[in-house]
Amino acid sequence: METLEKIVSLCKRRGFIYPGSEIYGGLAGTWDYGPVGVLLKNNIKNQWWKEMVQLRNDIVGLDADILMNPRAWEASGHVEAFTDPLVECKICHQRFRADKAEEIEAHEKSHGQDKVEWTEPKKFNLLVKAYLGVVEGEQLEVYLRGEITNGVQVNFKNVVDSTRIKMPFGIAQMGKAFRNEITPGNFTFRSKEFEQMEVQYFIKPDETEGKKWFEYWKQNRMDWYVKMGMRKEKLRFRDHEDQERAHYARMATDIQYEAPWGWDEFMGIHHRGDWDQRRHQEFSGQNLKYQDPETHEEYTPWDIETSAGVDRSMLFFLIDAYTEEEKRTVLKLHPLLAPYKVAVFPLLANKPELVAQAKAIYDDLKNNFMTAWDARGNIGKRYYAQDEIGTPWCVTVDFQTLEDKTITVRDRDTAKQERLPIDKLKDYFDNKLSL
Ligand code: GAP
């Protein structure tokens, strides 16, 4: 089995990710996160938020609505230009993105000897429409946001007016986005509904400043993924050519991961210039300019954006962590990202004194750490199950525990065990997680 297939299967088996509405035959490009998957996804988002908002004094958070006045999407250029080039195979009428050479090639191969002819590429808008209102025929056509950026852009002035934040500063946001993708695929990589985590970083309009902050955010984001455990050699930057840049971008660079299907993007850094702020001023007729509190200079700021997919980040964290050893499969996730930090077991499930002591430890630890409980099967099977979901430490209560109040802690990556007093456990995990 190929690596991606193995990961898809592990994700389903262990409760990371299920196909969307599976009992009805599914819905292409939609995925549901299970009990373990939602923990991993939340940990990625929480670590990102901590790094971007909690630990910085130049970035504040925002949570804008998905639904917006449709004029906002005209202003941002999405109604006109948020498109992919679509071509149709004249033999089987399947539709593809003309700019995805590998997918076109694979499809041509699937027709064997038959020569495939394609329709001329036409622009296909990715915005997903929805309808608001209770009277048929009088409903308002709105869009499910195609990127989360617009809610930040329209609130730029609200944030400036309601905080003391000064330029340069950023606004961070996470949330769902929707795209009518022509060819969803590669598991969650290209979905119709997905989450993004973005910072719009506003700066003074100046070429040198723009380049400086663009380079700064490129390196900052690359470093974060390495800090969160991704292998450096699997990551690289890829600058966009002029003709492939999104309609709003003056400069754009992707951070790519070497996926099982080749190098592919999981986040982008975009120099949006004054595109959004200028257009929202033109379309709304409002003055959204920033006024420097000291010099009183007024200007429309430039925006350097970092935009990451939560689902793609999670997929690449999973792929990067997936390790097959002779006798086990291990997800070597960074402990801060691991769904559970600790699992607690009684050595034997049929010895009430062991179970009671283990339960007491479990009840205590779960106040501080996401803690799993397992008393099924033998200890080897429990280790195996925890390794597969990436739990960094397993605590076992055995007969010695009843005598001297010590337990064993088994490390996921080395499989080595050490004995510790029960009352040192919390400090032990705190120390490990603060590295
Ligand atoms: N605000 C800028 C923006 O949305 P983008 O390059 O179109 O830029 C940013 O998207 C990130 O969102 C991508 O790098 C990717 O991680 C994620 N993303 C985009 N489309 C996606 C899709 N169909 N499925 C999953 N993730 C997607």
Side-chain angles (χ1 to χ4, degrees):
M1 234 201 294
E2 299 294 328
T3 311
L4 186 62
E5 285 173 47
K6 288 182 187 163
I7 290 171
V8 174
S9 145
L10 183 146
C11 281
K12 172 106 199 284
R13 196 171 68 246
R14 293 289 181 195
F16 280 96
I17 303 171
Y18 314 123
S21 16
E22 197 182 10
I23 60 168
Y24 292 102
L27 177 68
T30 65
W31 299 94
D32 297 335
Y33 288 79
V36 182
V38 70
L39 296 176
L40 172 56
K41 199 181 189 196
N42 284 344
N43 289 342
I44 294 169
K45 292 195 285 183
N46 291 341
Q47 287 303 318
W48 182 89
W49 191 264
K50 182 174 179 192
E51 171 99 0
M52 289 300 206
V53 181
Q54 187 178 332
L55 296 178
R56 296 186 70 115
N57 54 14
D58 60 344
I59 301 183
V60 291
L62 187 93
D63 183 18
D65 251 16
I66 289 174
L67 299 176
M68 298 179 77
N69 186 310
R71 283 282 284 166
W73 295 106
E74 287 169 32
S76 63
H78 285 77
V79 172
E80 194 192 328
F82 195 51
T83 57
D84 276 338
L86 177 148
V87 286
E88 190 174 301
C89 166
K90 287 191 179 171
I91 301 175
C92 67
H93 303 289
Q94 268 200 74
R95 292 170 166 200
F96 292 87
R97 271 175 66 172
D99 57 340
K100 295 281 169 201
E102 329 78 62
E103 291 171 24
I104 296 277
E105 207 177 302
H107 185 71
E108 285 177 346
K109 274 203 190 123
S110 75
H111 279 297
Q113 302 293 351
D114 297 339
K115 165 118 184 61
V116 177
E117 285 190 44
W118 296 95
T119 58
E120 282 301 309
K122 65 174 185 224
K123 285 184 181 172
F124 178 78
N125 196 296
L126 302 182
L127 284 177
V128 177
K129 286 181 184 161
Y131 299 88
L132 294 180
V134 289
V135 182
E136 199 64 47
E138 288 177 25
Q139 286 170 320
L140 177 68
E141 187 178 279
V142 293
Y143 302 102
L144 301 185
R145 62 187 178 193
E147 57 170 344
I148 62 171
T149 326
N150 233 354
V152 168
Q153 303 292 357
V154 300
N155 278 298
F156 170 76
K157 199 157 168 23
N158 277 337
V159 172
V160 172
D161 291 348
S162 57
T163 64
R164 286 157 184 268
I165 203 127
K166 284 194 206 140
M167 208 67 79
F169 74 89
I171 303 178
Q173 187 178 223
M174 308 189 276
K176 291 271 190 183
F178 304 83
R179 293 185 190 177
N180 211 351
E181 294 286 357
I182 298 165
T183 45
N186 283 335
F187 198 18
T188 57
F189 180 80
R190 204 182 300 139
S191 319
K192 298 204 168 170
E193 174 178 338
F194 54 96
E195 268 184 278
Q196 294 183 310
M197 24 190 203
E198 293 190 342
V199 168
Q200 309 303 321
Y201 200 78
F202 296 100
I203 60 166
K204 228 178 145 164
D206 176 272
E207 292 296 343
T208 315
E209 283 287 291
K211 288 204 182 93
K212 181 184 93 184
W213 283 110
F214 189 75
E215 288 308 316
Y216 168 86
W217 279 115
K218 271 171 64 175
Q219 202 52 51
N220 176 289
R221 289 299 78 209
M222 180 72 100
D223 292 347
W224 185 72
Y225 281 96
V226 174
K227 193 169 105 187
M228 287 292 106
M230 267 193 200
R231 281 171 289 170
K232 219 174 179 168
E233 65 275 17
K234 292 281 181 182
L235 298 170
R236 73 176 188 192
F237 293 118
R238 192 186 73 84
D239 296 334
H240 282 209
E241 306 285 338
D242 285 350
Q243 71 281 0
E244 61 173 319
R245 273 203 302 274
H247 63 276
Y248 49 75
R250 292 162 62 114
M251 287 161 78
T253 298
D254 292 337
I255 301 185
Q256 294 188 321
Y257 183 88
E258 193 177 14
W261 60 90
W263 288 93
D264 223 333
E265 162 208 347
F266 66 94
M267 75 160 295
I269 299 93
H270 310 122
H271 186 331
R272 296 178 80 113
D274 68 357
W275 167 264
D276 302 87
Q277 289 302 306
R278 179 169 50 78
R279 296 271 296 190
H280 284 303
Q281 292 186 79
E282 280 167 24
F283 278 67
S284 69
Q286 310 261 341
N287 178 5
L288 305 177
K289 288 200 176 80
Y290 175 80
Q291 192 182 51
D292 188 298
E294 269 121 46
T295 64
H296 301 292
E297 187 192 354
E298 238 195 13
Y299 55 82
T300 299
W302 283 2
D303 172 22
I304 309 295
E305 164 188 75
T306 71
S307 175
V310 177
D311 313 77
R312 280 191 197 176
S313 296
M314 174 161 155
L315 178 59
F316 289 155
F317 277 123
L318 282 169
I319 291 172
D320 201 68
Y322 183 85
T323 313
E324 283 180 353
E325 293 178 359
E326 207 185 322
K327 293 206 172 102
R328 60 179 189 156
T329 300
V330 199
L331 278 188
K332 294 193 172 173
L333 290 165
H334 191 294
L336 288 172
L337 300 184
Y340 292 97
K341 309 304 171 206
V342 194
V344 180
F345 317 140
L347 179 66
L348 300 171
N350 59 0
K351 296 282 174 210
E353 56 288 26
L354 294 183
V355 175
Q357 178 64 79
K359 261 266 146 60
I361 295 173
Y362 166 73
D363 285 339
D364 188 32
L365 286 179
K366 72 182 181 188
N367 288 305
N368 297 67
F369 314 99
M370 199 67 212
T371 308
W373 168 263
D374 196 354
R376 296 162 309 166
N378 63 39
I379 202 92
K381 278 199 181 133
R382 296 183 213 153
Y383 284 151
Y384 189 87
Q386 295 300 325
D387 285 344
E388 276 208 334
I389 61 168
T391 307
W393 302 290
C394 293
V395 168
T396 303
V397 167
D398 55 18
F399 291 104
Q400 193 178 325
T401 313
L402 303 178
E403 285 164 25
D404 64 5
K405 296 272 175 213
T406 63
I407 42 72
T408 62
V409 180
R410 183 248 195 196
D411 181 278
R412 176 195 69 196
D413 297 345
T414 61
K416 292 216 170 82
Q417 297 184 26
E418 58 182 309
R419 267 207 110 79
L420 288 177
I422 294 172
D423 59 7
K424 291 275 180 296
L425 268 182
K426 244 189 252 170
D427 285 348
Y428 177 85
F429 295 130
D430 270 335
N431 284 339
K432 293 265 186 196
L433 290 166
S434 66
L435 290 181

